[in-house]
């Protein structure tokens, strides 16, 4: 069984910065992508960032230039550095990953439990 555990959410003032991390644990043979989505009240879940196995990353339009995501495969961990935060960034942030748990098995998408980020003065 695989678990994704996020940490680092909280309250930050507009213009501030916050870092999130997400560690995958359990039966892991290989990890394809790791990344982040977010869901604000009354809105659909949207892509924040996805980091590919080669380390390259893709970002949602609303966070480009402000957020940076990276991964450490030795620790099965993905990180999200968020800068110049605004109230529009307030949401629950979910870690996600595509993981293979058996040799030759299927890739399965896993989600973390979510961590709240609130941007407010």
């Amino acid at each position: 069984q695989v678990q994704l555990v996020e940490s680092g959410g909280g309250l930050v003032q507009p213009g501030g910065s916050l870092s999130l991390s997400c560690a995958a644990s359990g039966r892991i043979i290989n990890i394809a992508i790791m990344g982040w989505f977010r869901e604000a009240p009354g809105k659909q879940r949207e892509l924040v960032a996805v980091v590919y196995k080669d380390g390259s990353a893709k970002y949602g339009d609303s966070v480009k230039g402000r957020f940076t995501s990276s991964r450490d495969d030795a620790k099965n961990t993905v990180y999200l550095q968020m800068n110049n935060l605004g109230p529009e960034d307030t949401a629950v942030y979910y870690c996600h990953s595509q993981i293979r748990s058996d040799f030759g098995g299927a890739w399965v998408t896993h989600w973390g439990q979510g961590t709240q980020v609130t941007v407010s003065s």
Side-chain angles (χ1 to χ4, degrees):
Q1 190 170 355
V2 173
Q3 283 189 321
L4 300 182
V5 179
E6 299 113 334
S7 60
L11 174 65
V12 64
Q13 292 187 340
S17 298
L18 202 62
S19 297
L20 305 180
S21 63
C22 171
S25 62
R27 181 169 173 80
I28 298 171
I29 301 299
N30 203 351
I31 299 177
I33 62 173
M34 300 189 81
W36 302 88
F37 279 73
R38 68 185 182 186
E39 189 170 328
K43 294 187 177 181
Q44 286 188 328
R45 190 172 294 191
E46 66 170 346
L47 171 71
V48 175
V50 59
V51 186
Y52 300 96
K53 199 161 180 64
D54 64 0
S56 62
K58 174 184 175 181
Y59 298 93
D61 288 341
S62 60
V63 306
K64 282 179 182 176
R66 299 187 298 123
F67 291 12
T68 302
S69 190
S70 61
R71 60 191 277 178
D72 184 340
D73 285 346
K75 298 180 179 179
N76 291 335
T77 298
V78 63
Y79 305 95
L80 183 66
Q81 175 65 40
M82 303 181 289
N83 297 326
N84 193 22
L85 286 159
E88 68 277 9
D89 296 311
T90 295
V92 177
Y93 285 69
Y94 295 93
C95 172
H96 76 102
S97 184
Q98 286 188 343
I99 294 174
R100 178 179 281 172
S101 294
D102 294 290
F103 290 102
W107 293 98
V108 177
T109 298
H110 297 272
W111 293 90
Q113 79 284 358
T115 185
Q116 178 70 46
V117 171
T118 302
V119 184
S120 176
S121 55

